[in-house]
Amino acid sequence: MCIEFSSVIPKKKKNERWHSDGIVYPKPTWLGEELLGKLAKWSVENKKSEFKSTLSLISIMKYSKAYQELKEKYKEMVKVWPEVTDPEKFVYEDVAIATYLLILWEEERAEKGVTAKQSFVDLGCGNGLLVHILTSEGHPGRGIDVRRRKIWDLYGPQTQLEEDAITPNDETLFPDVDWLIGNHSDELTPWIPVIAARSSYKCRFFVLPCCFFDFVGRYHRRQSSRTQYREYLDFIREVGLTCGFHVEEDCLRIPSTKRVCLVGKSRTYQPAAEVSIDKQRTQYIHSRRGCPVSPAGGEPPSSAPQLAASTAGHGDSHSTLGEAQSVEHRAETQAQGPWLPGFHPRGKAEPVRNCATLPRDFVDQVVLRVANLLLGGKQLNTRNDQSGNVKTWNAGESLSLAEVARELDKETLQRLKRECGGLQTLLRNSHQVFEVLNGRVHVRDWRAETPRKKKQPDAKRRLFSEAFKTRLCWFFLYHPDGCALPSDRCPFAHGPGELRPAQTPKKKKQVL
């Protein structure tokens, strides 16, 4: 049974240390305090899962063996990862996705009695690691993304990655490719079954939806009886069916709450029916924006027409003829350009929404106001600091994010939402002052922080030493009781006299 782990297992926090192995691992404290209660609850529940069993479309034995081999082969990627994202999560997740595709394709070749490895294009390939692994394992392919990543330079010339924006139209088809991949492909996700269907009759697709996008703009849920995630998966499935695919669903074994994939391996119609099927695709796509539908076509379909379900025994000439007629039909019925006006790919520059663009005095003002709000409900907290000294210190109260937001004016909240992602983003980024746990805001008590391990990786030790005493201690300056830690224990400067100049870390040249 595939479970949405967001409601069961807590997400990893930055200060938690556990080794990710392609599977979500909870903390030992959670296992001790929460697991038994959860097991008791699950044992009496009679709730049907919304999702299929994990790895239901492939051999689990083959997957497990291949995953361990690939994990060992590509584990060095964690050490040289130059992106700001969590290397363990992204490396092992992409290794798991690559493993799944490799087994899926291996079994497909066995079914068809062929030996040539399938070709692919990964649309919205991001860091490109999935492309790198699949290419390294012998599958010809390439990745396309609107924005180049730093890690691309580490892969070498055999991994083909292109910086380009994809706008769905007749110029962005891939007639010679076997599979289109959409791994967290955002605004391209609903378009991938369409692009695959129109590229060629033999083209298949694999999508792993994450963010909820419609053909143009964000996806808006229509039912409250299901989770938004389940409803969005059903929408992508409907797109695939309307495009003429048999759509199968599976759960991947990856460290993510969004781990359901949709696979279109075969068609529900014969190649000769391509023109009529493509008319229905067009009607369906335009119906998502309320565009007028041709009277001759009737209502847009909610699922693909159930024609002869066969993908074998049809000559390439029939397939090519049907595809050519389909392109000709679209050229006659719509102007050259996007298949649906209004689609805009993401901009090449990634927008900064982490408070970096907000004026410093504005951020300081909000931080001070929220801190005073929390400290207003005085709650004296007596405990030992890391040196063993006992000190009574006002830790304040905790408030929900909604309670904090109610105390801020509308203009401030709108500015935060527009420029940094919202109040929660600002508070989380003000790590020195606040701690946000389970939707509640606390004043951070540095005496409760886990002391640094003496034996830490060189990189972490170096980063800490470079940042030590390079910023003023907020508590020393503003808290009524001062800092909870003595000066020699606090990583921040107690006054200008302790400030050290910030060091710019030297970049090491990395070679994969």
Side-chain angles (χ1 to χ4, degrees):
M1 182 174 69
C2 180
I3 301 170
E4 281 195 81
F5 282 95
S6 57
S7 61
V8 177
I9 294 178
K11 291 181 180 178
K12 176 186 175 185
K13 299 180 181 68
K14 288 184 179 178
N15 61 345
E16 294 176 1
R17 293 185 177 91
W18 49 263
H19 179 65
S20 172
D21 188 22
I23 303 171
V24 177
Y25 286 150
K27 289 182 66 178
T29 52
W30 185 90
L31 291 171
E33 298 171 7
E34 301 285 339
L35 179 59
L36 285 177
K38 295 286 186 185
L39 289 174
K41 180 183 175 184
W42 295 337
S43 65
V44 297
E45 272 185 345
N46 188 23
K47 184 179 178 183
K48 188 178 179 181
S49 173
E50 291 185 301
F51 308 102
K52 293 192 69 174
S53 300
T54 303
L55 306 180
S56 62
L57 299 182
I58 62 172
S59 165
I60 296 179
M61 293 292 289
K62 287 182 182 178
Y63 173 89
S64 300
K65 183 175 183 293
Y67 174 74
Q68 291 302 324
E69 292 172 354
L70 291 177
K71 178 193 155 196
E72 182 67 23
K73 185 174 182 179
Y74 295 101
K75 66 181 181 181
E76 295 301 313
M77 291 297 306
V78 174
K79 299 178 182 178
V80 299
W81 194 258
E83 306 292 336
V84 296
T85 49
D86 181 1
E88 285 188 348
K89 178 187 185 302
F90 282 87
V91 170
Y92 292 128
E93 182 171 319
D94 281 355
V95 166
I97 296 169
T99 305
Y100 183 90
L101 286 169
L102 290 170
I103 300 301
L104 183 74
W105 293 347
E106 177 187 318
E107 293 180 350
E108 182 186 59
R109 293 195 302 275
E111 288 172 13
K112 294 183 175 182
V114 298
T115 56
K117 291 192 174 183
Q118 296 89 331
S119 59
F120 70 93
V121 172
D122 186 351
L123 299 178
C125 64
N127 59 54
L129 180 57
L130 180 59
V131 177
H132 176 66
I133 296 173
L134 294 175
T135 301
S136 300
E137 297 305 310
H139 287 269
R142 57 194 171 111
I144 304 173
D145 199 277
V146 70
R147 183 168 56 86
R148 184 180 185 83
R149 306 300 201 274
K150 290 181 285 187
I151 196 170
W152 288 12
D153 296 327
L154 304 185
Y155 295 135
Q158 78 282 0
T159 302
Q160 296 184 41
L161 300 169
E162 302 171 14
E163 185 179 22
D164 197 9
I166 297 291
T167 298
N169 59 48
D170 286 340
E171 301 300 318
T172 53
L173 298 177
F174 305 91
D176 299 323
V177 171
D178 295 317
W179 283 80
L180 293 187
I181 298 171
N183 173 22
H184 300 316
S185 45
D186 294 344
E187 73 275 7
L188 286 174
T189 299
W191 286 106
I192 286 175
V194 183
I195 297 172
R198 288 177 169 174
S199 288
S200 74
Y201 186 77
K202 69 181 181 67
C203 189
R204 289 86 80 192
F205 75 86
F206 166 95
V207 290
L208 182 62
C210 180
C211 299
F212 308 139
F213 283 90
D214 210 315
F215 290 112
V216 173
R218 288 281 181 175
Y219 175 83
H220 299 289
R221 65 185 306 179
R222 301 184 177 188
Q223 297 183 24
S224 58
S225 59
R226 293 176 292 171
T227 63
Q228 186 176 18
Y229 182 43
R230 178 68 265 172
E231 186 178 321
Y232 187 69
L233 290 170
D234 290 342
F235 163 59
I236 300 300
R237 178 183 178 84
E238 181 179 273
V239 174
L241 290 169
T242 305
C243 287
F245 285 98
H246 288 293
V247 182
E248 297 177 280
E249 183 178 301
D250 205 355
C251 264
L252 303 187
R253 191 176 286 174
I254 57 175
S256 173
T257 56
K258 303 286 195 310
R259 56 198 192 102
V260 177
C261 68
L262 296 166
V263 181
K265 289 174 61 179
S266 60
R267 303 294 177 98
T268 60
Y269 63 94
Q270 297 177 3
E274 180 64 36
V275 173
S276 62
I277 296 297
D278 197 58
K279 286 180 184 177
Q280 295 182 11
R281 291 180 197 130
T282 301
Q283 290 166 358
Y284 178 78
I285 292 167
H286 281 260
S287 74
R288 298 295 301 182
R289 286 294 305 273
C291 297
V293 177
S294 169
E299 293 296 318
S302 60
S303 63
Q306 299 302 307
L307 302 178
S310 173
T311 58
H314 303 294
D316 289 342
S317 60
H318 293 290
S319 176
T320 306
L321 178 61
E323 291 154 13
Q325 289 174 340
S326 175
V327 173
E328 191 176 310
H329 166 73
R330 288 198 299 276
E332 292 173 355
T333 57
Q334 65 185 46
Q336 289 297 313
W339 288 333
L340 186 61
F343 175 87
H344 297 290
R346 280 171 296 162
K348 184 174 179 179
E350 189 174 23
V352 178
R353 289 171 59 82
N354 62 355
C355 306
T357 58
L358 290 171
R360 188 69 247 175
D361 58 344
F362 173 78
V363 174
D364 291 343
Q365 201 173 50
V366 175
V367 169
L368 190 59
R369 188 168 177 181
V370 174
N372 286 333
L373 184 65
L374 297 174
L375 294 173
K378 290 194 175 182
Q379 181 179 333
L380 297 180
N381 188 339
T382 302
R383 66 163 71 193
N384 293 347
D385 61 24
Q386 294 173 7
S387 61
N389 299 320
V390 178
K391 182 173 183 177
T392 300
W393 188 76
N394 177 16
E397 62 179 336
S398 75
L399 295 174
S400 69
L401 284 163
E403 289 171 325
V404 174
R406 280 198 292 269
E407 297 298 323
L408 300 177
D409 60 86
K410 188 176 180 181
E411 184 182 345
T412 297
L413 291 173
Q414 287 178 340
R415 188 174 185 184
L416 289 172
K417 189 69 177 176
R418 185 173 61 249
E419 298 189 42
C420 83
L423 175 63
Q424 183 173 197
T425 302
L426 184 142
L427 297 177
R428 286 189 183 278
N429 287 353
S430 301
H431 175 267
Q432 184 191 162
V433 185
F434 303 113
E435 188 174 25
V436 182
L437 294 172
N438 301 320
R440 298 191 69 83
V441 187
H442 309 254
V443 172
R444 185 174 294 277
D445 188 344
W446 281 86
R447 296 171 298 179
E449 296 297 306
T450 306
R452 287 190 312 115
K453 293 181 178 179
K454 291 183 179 179
K455 291 186 178 180
Q456 280 191 315
D458 291 341
K460 286 190 176 181
R461 222 169 31 239
R462 186 174 63 251
L463 284 172
F464 181 84
S465 63
E466 288 171 352
F468 190 73
K469 300 289 185 184
T470 57
R471 295 171 58 197
L472 288 169
C473 176
W474 185 93
F475 296 100
F476 178 82
L477 295 174
Y478 299 109
H479 195 284
D481 298 330
C483 181
L485 296 177
S487 174
D488 62 328
R489 295 280 180 176
C490 181
F492 304 97
H494 284 198
E498 290 188 2
L499 272 176
R500 297 170 58 243
Q503 299 180 26
T504 305
K506 296 178 180 179
K507 290 186 178 180
K508 288 169 63 179
K509 189 175 181 181
Q510 297 166 325
V511 180
L512 188 61

